Amino acid sequence: MDRFKRQILADEKRIYRTDKRRQQKLETRIRILDAALDHFSRRGFEAAAVRDIAADAGVTHAVIRLHFGTKDQLWREAVSQLFARFEQEMADPPEEPTSATPSLAQFIRRYVLYSARHPEHARIMMHESMEPSERLSWMVDTYVIPAHRRVMPALERAVQGRRLPAMSLVSLIYIISSSGQSLFMLGAEAKLIYGIDVAAPETIDQHVAAVLALLRISYGSTVGADRQSEGAIGIA
Amino acid sequence: MDRFKRQILADEKRIYRTDKRRQQKLETRIRILDAALDHFSRRGFEAAAVRDIAADAGVTHAVIRLHFGTKDQLWREAVSQLFARFEQEMADPPEEPTSATPSLAQFIRRYVLYSARHPEHARIMMHESMEPSERLSWMVDTYVIPAHRRVMPALERAVQGRRLPAMSLVSLIYIISSSGQSLFMLGAEAKLIYGIDVAAPETIDQHVAAVLALLRISYGSTVGADRQSEGAIGIA
DNA sequence: GATTTTACTATCCAAGTGGATATATAAATT
DNA sequence: AATTTATATATCCACTTGGATAGTAAAATC
């Protein structure tokens, strides 16, 4: 269980500290969401089995129905948790205790480090983004478009200010996000081809450096320097 | 049916032109492989249903068993076809009638154009590369490692010759391949977010330009200039 | 033209799926 | 301590899945 989930758990425990049932229900809920994220990201929505998720969470599959209703609703809850954590960690990254409005380089670094820490994010989006579906439309409308909207102006300024090469902004955002995610998302493949563990700190540092070298940006200009609210910026 | 499949079909027809059954069997086989590639790439191995593939191919699911045996064997046949076409089109691209040993820029361009023409390639690999499996090991050993081996020396020379920024070669190859593929692979998502059709020629041209601008390479230095055999080079 | 070969169909099967419901059990309330 | 509430379990259901097999019809062979 990571920092984010522990925080929620602690909050809830404080609120309902007299009610043991609510505590246990919440812990079960978190275990289910955790297992769901793991299965959905590795296998995709259709191939993931509710019974397998339940087994990993230490409950029977009927409990999932009780907590979340349908498999579809479970998926949406899991994706919501995922994006909530994404936005939180991009605004206030674990690796930067005191976080100010990030420079373009810092922002890219945060994004790559997040992708390395949580490869399930890219995986779950990949599985859904390859063919149209209700789930994809919902995820895009609810989370992806807002995230792109937050980061697009900064990228546009960087291109116009010649801090990034001139190119289509759509291509740019797809290149940046896929470059940052790919190595970690495809960890199983990279392990087989190169024998590397993409979760190793050296590998992660190398990849951060590689993406920054490719974009040829350093820790100079700030992203969203003109608006404080853009501190909690995100690409997805 | 694309040029590659028609070619095979024509060859086979010439050989067995007196045997109508062989012709029809081959045509059925091609229709099945075509549908299989489509389903496996969009939905992944587990979620794709043999019956659905059969329906799209205009046969019953028992025919697939007759032609290919198990679902797993069908997948392998489809992937083999995919990589055969990949290697053929990278060595002799449809957009370049007379193909010589490509420059680095030409090679990147070929790769992006191939990815745009056949987004199912990246999709099928993505679905398989997110968690270890027998299928992944087989695909990596049989096709991906050889393809990486063919292109790695050229990339290494480009980095050492300062034609590409200094970085980990593993990161570099993941960045190049994901950058080239992502926009087309995620066409469904891009359509929802930006309303664009990633198959449109303008979009494709823009993306080729974007990847080349990012790598800051032009049509100067050749890839594998010292060895003619590297003409049939590939990234996967 | 009769016989053999073979690509394909119709149908069956066991296993696994998402979902539904009745029951048990433990915690909270009175 | 008895009663109520609610979380989790055991089980059932209709449906789909990959796979298997017996039968059909058309093409090739004689």
Side-chain angles (χ1 to χ4, degrees), chain B residues 99-146:
Chain B
S99 61
T101 303
S103 70
L104 186 52
Q106 279 173 329
F107 170 74
I108 302 284
R109 182 166 175 271
R110 281 186 190 180
Y111 183 67
V112 178
L113 291 177
Y114 171 82
S115 299
R117 218 165 31 240
H118 303 297
E120 68 275 16
H121 189 125
R123 287 185 186 133
I124 211 164
M125 288 189 64
M126 275 289 156
H127 279 300
E128 291 305 322
S129 301
M130 304 214 198
E131 73 170 348
S133 73
E134 268 302 307
R135 288 189 306 281
L136 177 60
S137 297
W138 173 82
M139 179 171 70
V140 163
D141 288 343
T142 312
Y143 297 109
V144 185
I145 286 179

Side-chain angles (χ1 to χ4, degrees), chain A residues 70-83:
Chain A
T70 67
K71 184 185 183 183
D72 200 88
Q73 289 173 289
L74 170 64
W75 183 88
R76 287 177 195 228
E77 281 293 319
V79 169
S80 294
Q81 290 270 115
L82 183 72
F83 274 90

Side-chain angles (χ1 to χ4, degrees), chain A residues 117-136:
Chain A
R117 219 166 29 240
H118 302 298
E120 69 274 16
H121 189 126
R123 287 186 187 132
I124 211 163
M125 288 190 65
M126 274 290 155
H127 278 301
E128 292 304 323
S129 301
M130 304 212 198
E131 73 171 347
S133 73
E134 269 301 308
R135 288 189 305 280
L136 176 61

